[in-house]
Amino acid sequence: MRPKPRPRLRPPAPSGARRLARRHPGALLALFLCSTGGALAALALPAALGHTVDRLVDGGAVPWAGLLLCAVLTLAETGFDAGAAVLTTSTGARLTAHLRTRTTARVLAAEPRRALAVPTGDLTARLTARTADAATAPVTAAGAVAGVLLPLGAVVGLFVIDPWTAAAFLLGAPLLVALLHTFTRRTADAGADYQRAQSVIAHRLTEALDGADTIRAARTGAREYRRILEPLTTLAAHGRRTWTVYGRAAGQSALLLPLLMLLVLAVGGLRLQAGAIGIGDLVAASRYAALAVGIGSLTGALGALARSRAAARTLDPLLTLDPLPHEGLGPPHGGPGHLELRDVGVVQDGKRQVEQGGKQGGKQEDEQGGEALPDGEPDRKPLLTGVHLTVPGGTSLAVVGRSGSGKSVFAAVVGRLLDPDTGTVLLDGIPLAAMEPARLRPEIAYAFARPALPGTTVEDTIAFGPWTAGPAAVREGARAARADGFVGLLPYGYATPLTDAPLSGGERQRLGLARAFAHPGRLLILDDALSGLDTVTEHHVRRALDERAGRCTRVIVAHRLSSAARADQVLWLEDGRVRATGPHEELWADPEYRAVFRTETGEAEEMAEADEGPGAEGALPRARTEVEAR
């Protein structure tokens, strides 16, 4: 047996501010220079102003040079601040876009079972709001230079003017530093709790939207409404705690900073009365005192950095996902699609599972944050066990079994949407795990029971895939999936926006099938992709599948008797194990095999009638008439 390939893993990609800063060093350097320039201009202005005031008090000619210098410094401070504001906005947007792209790419490159361990709603929140918060760290850090430089420079200025006035300020500085430290710590904690509560709401809302039809049919809308909004109480508490922290910091600052300012001015006045400093020095000292107590403006920057760090921690599990390992191999040229499984096993660890249509989820939900809760030892349930199977290239395999028998798990494994925990899957003699995903994916086409429909128009949806299918391939795929008929009834045919296309469940399935047919490879996998079709449509789609005999291996998760009867070979699964394999005619002699179809066929027929009812089909001409009337 060929040994398993050695993983070729890329190094982890931390989400730290340092890595982000390397993306746009020029913009961050310009922001740093603008912030520094504005701070230096602000620090130079009190000294120039004090010197000018002394010249005016002493009498004599008007100090035009000093007045001009004050004007220039004022304009410079304003210009630098404006430049910093523009750079903060533009650079933050670019860093956010980069972090979202990098995080999304990391998720897509990983094995789906691990990439989708995070609940869908929480994943959406992390890829949107969390990336925006995390990306602000480099920008905030670069812009915070002014917040640090101004108070430090002002204290130095006070020392230069008069050490006693500086000492008066430093007397209350420890209280100010303690205030900032407490604010930063409490803001970070409150922000992290707030983000976790948001993730719970997002996850529950996504679940409800995905199951909207079920909720409507069961008349449980009020219950779902309460379930989705239940975390709002926790969210409100964290929000109030956040604003309480801000309010206390603002109130304490409002009390402490004027007292410090008053203390500095009182000492300065006494020093002026003693003749130790002049009027201009007192003016400068008052300005420096105002800048020194401006350290309270750091609270905003510190709060932003705290939120950024909390958001970055939620992104770390995504950015450190290992990509699919491979050896850089590809399928042999011109291979027939010979499929082989050797002792394949898949285990569910209590937090991950494969659902119908290749989707994965089922993770335990932490009510505070959507994280996995390890309740003791995980329940390691076997989903597939010891599967040995050979599917000759160009033939068809029907996968049958009761619900929960492992059919969708099998479909995910043979197309490497899921790596087995044990055993090996080979395509034309090459292990799937050894193949580079970019070279493997064009060779495998998938269709699901509930396909996602990306793209703007119907044609975009069918053309979407490892490569963009051309117009001829799109229409050929639609004809093979029997989708061209209802597409022709849409207001603008293939150019109809999906938002304007009222599609039934069966019609969505046919678009998914059309997409698979438009991207032919050596392996075609239909994971319950015929369940929503009426009998006549399924018959035509089956004929299109049969026409690919010898050129494409077809793996069909089947519920209907007709699908199994027309397959070259049937795989009968039961509780994740192979119950039997062989032609349908031979297996039919087993009454337990026949019982599988008595159960599954009834469910499939009910689904098809619901999806392909006259109301759904009739919606298309009605929609077209309404558009033409407008």
Side-chain angles (χ1 to χ4, degrees), residues 399-414:
V399 185
V400 304
R402 301 181 188 276
S403 296
S405 60
K407 301 186 296 295
S408 288
V409 179
F410 178 89
V413 166
V414 297

Side-chain angles (χ1 to χ4, degrees), residues 346 354 382-385 387 399-413 527 557 571 573-577:
V346 178
V354 178
L383 302 178
L384 287 179
T385 303
V387 177
V399 185
V400 304
R402 301 181 188 276
S403 296
S405 60
K407 301 186 296 295
S408 288
V409 179
F410 178 89
V413 166
D527 185 4
V557 174
L571 170 66
L573 292 176
E574 188 172 278
D575 296 329
R577 296 180 179 272

Side-chain angles (χ1 to χ4, degrees), residues 6 15 19 30 35 49 54 80 124-125 148 160 235 296 337 413 415 462 477 524 536-537 553 580 619:
R6 182 180 304 170
S15 58
R19 179 183 177 88
S35 300
L49 185 60
D54 281 337
F80 280 127
T124 302
V148 176
V160 171
L235 185 71
V413 166
I462 300 176
L524 174 60
V536 175
T537 302
T553 302

